[in-house]
Amino acid sequence: MQLSEILRGFGIGEYNPGASTGGQWGKTTDHGVITSRSPATGEAIGSVYAASHQDYEWVMDAATKAFTVWRSIPAPRRGEVVRKIGLKLREYKEALGRLVSHENGKILQEGLGEVQEMIDIADFAVGQSRQLYGFTMHSERPAHRMYEQYHPLGPIGVITAFNFPVAVWAWNALLAAVCGDVIVWKPASKTPLTAIAVQRIVAQVLHEQDLPEGIFNLIIGGGSTIGEAMLKDRRLPLISLTGSTPVGKHAATVVSNRLGKLILELGGNNAIILTEHADLKLAIPAVVFGAVGTAGQRCTTTRRLIVHEAILNSVQKALVHAYASLRIGDPLDPKTHVGPLIDTDAVRQFSEALEQVRHEGGEILFGGKVLSGPGYGSRCYVEPTLVTARNDWSIVQQETFAPILYLIPYTGDVRNAIALQNAVPQGLSSAIFTNDLRESEIFLSEIGSDCGIANVNIGTSGAEIGGAFGGEKDTGGGRESGSDAWKAYMRRQTNTINFGTELPLAQGIRFELS
Ligand code: NAD
């Protein structure tokens, strides 16, 4: 399937509108242009007219109106609409997965996997639409009934990162939709075309179902313009933001200032611990996939490897051997393991991080170079890199969004490894490889990993949608996707009903009118 054919199939031209309420698209052409370039070739794929403030108001009007309709459609019926979106995504899986690879640069298997994740969450959300349960409880007063219920929240703002350009929308939007919310989506400016493709897929379903405009909305523009307008907008009771920690901290300040709700999914600095009792046959491939998958641009990428000194040499050798077999190149070539970074700015950050590592005294065991020459003309390709490091170096404490793996030795008990693993500001994903039950149970216990995700004998990345996804500390504390994450998209209400003939007050308070 050629790129031109994919773009045509999604109605994406050379220039595209940057705002949509479903089937209708904005008309603005004078607010600047966002050009999407293939990280693999550097060539322009297509451009988008950045949305204006008027576009934003038009979208917000449509969303506000649509909410009054959508919230009163029974949740299982909303689930039926999401089921149809899931079916449509199945039809477009190949085309959308390929477009993700073209625009984002992740290898095709991961592009297709991202669309599969959308399909999985659609299925999950359909089931959830019949399970928006609240508790019932016994009242302390006679002839009274108490219960809790969940109502739709309103139009919600979803601001997404470039590295999962379509799946993160689905995690939020499809769950929020069954909850009765309407969605205003601002994608990352680095990946606007995949967002347009998703909007076109969804619009087909809404049209076939005769649903009004404004349920699924798209607004493409800068973070400091459109993004900022969303943060400040009281018509959006919830902002779900996926992105870097500095942007998340700013969003937290602005949204909290108006007492809005937040789901923050921010940066990670994830570690795998290899104890003396690790099965290296499992561990080495998990470490390599975790560290180089999506070219190190996952929030759950393995960035630190905390290795017991007794096995350090054999682990280093095995990793150098595995890294030497990695194929770096065209993300659409099925043999490629590692595609390009998103842009040359990311490459600069990769090089600067390694400079700092060298300055600190770290040794580069493998990689370290920016690639040039035939096939690497976009200058976005780097070698996956292994370096020796100390956990307390400031560069190791940060998330560098590139395939750099820091090897950090530990001695003695597993508690020493856990202390290192926890000694960073972020708290997203973590893993331990061990066949020793005591070690794994300590790692999972209250004195163990402080992350939102803690795995045993699997790596840090590649979470399934069934569990709640998110992390602690500088990762922001939000939870999305499975389990009871749906509750964040609804407002909770406690109801007490008196079916008696008296008016007793709670806590036995007496208040009698003469
Ligand atoms: P980013 O922080 O640069 O941008 C994220 C989004 O925020 C974009 O849509 C951007 O336009 C928007 N934005 C920027 N400034 C804004 C402002 N002032 N107001 C409102 N919105 C604004 O992140 P990125 O480079 O696109 O993505 C990479 C980062 O995302 C990494 O740190 C990664 O760890 C994180 N991430 C986290 C998760 C998670 O679930 N924890 C998932 C994916 C990515």
Side-chain angles (χ1 to χ4, degrees):
M1 206 184 276
Q2 292 300 309
L3 177 59
S4 54
E5 189 190 334
I6 296 171
L7 294 173
R8 239 193 339 273
F10 287 124
I12 297 172
E14 198 181 344
Y15 288 91
N16 303 275
S20 166
T21 57
Q24 289 177 18
W25 291 79
K27 307 262 181 289
T28 299
T29 54
D30 59 357
H31 258 67
V33 161
I34 296 166
T35 297
S36 173
R37 291 189 180 279
S38 152
T41 64
E43 283 162 22
I45 304 175
S47 295
V48 178
Y49 293 117
S52 64
H53 192 67
Q54 280 98 314
D55 289 324
Y56 179 71
E57 285 303 316
W58 167 65
V59 162
M60 283 306 302
D61 272 358
T64 310
K65 279 195 198 101
F67 178 60
T68 63
V69 177
W70 186 243
R71 68 181 171 187
S72 295
I73 293 175
R77 167 79 189 100
R78 297 193 294 252
E80 179 62 13
V81 174
V82 169
R83 192 175 76 81
K84 296 218 156 74
I85 293 175
L87 292 176
K88 198 65 90 185
L89 285 167
R90 284 173 168 88
E91 275 175 45
Y92 283 100
K93 179 175 172 184
E94 180 76 20
L96 185 58
R98 281 182 178 271
L99 185 57
V100 168
S101 290
H102 279 289
E103 187 173 46
N104 164 286
K106 62 175 69 177
I107 60 170
L108 181 57
Q109 275 305 308
E110 295 188 59
L112 294 171
E114 192 169 340
V115 184
Q116 186 58 46
E117 207 167 328
M118 301 172 83
I119 294 167
D120 293 345
I121 197 76
D123 288 355
F124 183 92
V126 177
Q128 191 69 68
S129 70
R130 291 184 185 264
Q131 301 174 85
L132 304 175
Y133 301 138
F135 287 119
T136 63
M137 55 288 290
H138 288 253
S139 169
E140 66 187 51
R141 290 170 277 186
H144 279 57
R145 184 165 73 80
M146 280 180 80
Y147 72 106
E148 283 179 357
Q149 59 177 337
Y150 290 85
H151 287 308
L153 197 54
I156 64 152
V158 176
I159 300 177
T160 55
F162 79 84
N163 66 325
F164 277 89
V166 291
V168 169
W169 168 83
W171 289 2
N172 283 280
L174 299 182
L175 267 189
V178 299
C179 291
D181 301 336
V182 302
I183 293 93
V184 179
W185 179 22
K186 193 205 89 55
S189 305
K190 291 171 187 172
T191 50
L193 301 181
T194 43
I196 291 179
V198 169
Q199 182 73 0
R200 289 250 153 81
I201 291 171
V202 171
Q204 280 184 39
V205 174
L206 297 184
H207 179 70
E208 286 161 15
Q209 297 293 299
D210 214 12
L211 286 161
E213 293 287 305
I215 298 171
F216 292 96
N217 305 279
L218 177 66
I219 186 105
I220 299 171
S224 57
T225 52
I226 296 296
E228 203 64 33
M230 290 172 72
L231 300 184
K232 291 186 183 134
D233 197 333
R234 295 181 73 89
R235 291 169 294 183
L236 296 170
L238 169 71
I239 296 286
S240 174
L241 185 141
T242 303
S244 57
T245 296
V247 168
K249 282 186 174 167
H250 169 71
T253 313
V254 178
V255 176
S256 303
N257 197 39
R258 63 173 171 91
L259 300 183
K261 292 176 195 279
L262 276 160
I263 299 174
L264 292 175
E265 299 284 352
L266 311 177
N269 192 352
N270 319 293
I272 293 181
I273 296 172
L274 302 185
T275 80
E276 291 165 276
H277 308 108
D279 179 344
L280 293 186
K281 273 200 307 298
L282 299 182
I284 298 298
V287 170
V288 177
F289 177 70
V292 312
T294 326
Q297 298 171 115
R298 285 189 183 214
C299 52
T300 52
T301 291
T302 310
R303 308 205 178 277
R304 297 175 296 139
L305 189 63
I306 300 169
V307 189
H308 196 278
E309 61 168 1
I311 56 167
L312 186 61
N313 280 341
S314 48
V315 167
Q316 281 188 6
K317 250 202 199 141
L319 284 178
V320 168
H321 181 73
Y323 270 52
S325 72
L326 292 172
R327 289 170 203 240
I328 309 159
D330 176 6
L332 274 301
D333 179 339
K335 294 198 203 78
T336 297
H337 296 109
V338 186
L341 290 178
I342 187 72
D343 55 21
T344 49
D345 202 36
V347 173
R348 181 184 51 75
Q349 286 172 29
F350 163 86
S351 299
E352 284 174 7
L354 290 180
E355 227 173 86
Q356 226 172 306
V357 166
R358 284 191 199 96
H359 179 74
E360 297 276 15
E363 185 194 347
I364 298 194
L365 300 173
F366 189 92
K369 286 201 275 307
V370 176
L371 297 170
S372 55
Y376 302 130
S378 67
R379 305 200 63 83
C380 290
Y381 290 91
V382 301
E383 286 179 329
T385 301
L386 286 171
V387 294
T388 61
R390 280 180 51 133
N391 199 65
D392 57 2
W393 291 347
S394 72
I395 190 64
V396 177
Q397 295 281 309
Q398 296 162 31
E399 178 195 49
T400 301
F401 225 45
I404 301 172
L405 182 63
Y406 300 115
L407 262 70
I408 300 161
Y410 81 95
T411 53
D413 189 75
V414 71
R415 289 173 184 80
N416 299 336
I418 294 169
L420 286 170
Q421 118 87 35
N422 290 346
V424 289
Q426 310 81 353
L428 180 52
S429 187
S430 59
I432 190 168
F433 278 78
T434 178
N435 281 340
D436 181 307
L437 181 73
R438 286 192 184 124
E439 287 183 335
S440 61
E441 289 295 325
I442 290 171
F443 177 75
L444 296 176
S445 77
E446 75 288 350
I447 60 162
S449 164
D450 65 359
C451 292
I453 298 167
N455 297 332
V456 176
N457 291 340
I458 58 167
T460 57
S461 69
E464 291 182 31
I465 59 113
F469 181 92
E472 303 299 330
K473 304 193 293 188
D474 274 8
T475 303
R479 290 297 183 278
E480 281 173 359
S481 195
S483 185
D484 66 350
W486 62 270
K487 289 182 178 169
Y489 303 95
M490 302 199 83
R491 64 185 169 85
R492 184 173 184 162
Q493 189 174 66
T494 302
N495 307 103
T496 309
I497 299 149
N498 177 0
F499 56 94
T501 54
E502 307 289 325
L503 191 69
L505 298 179
Q507 294 87 44
I509 292 172
R510 296 174 69 87
F511 184 78
E512 282 162 10
L513 297 175
S514 52

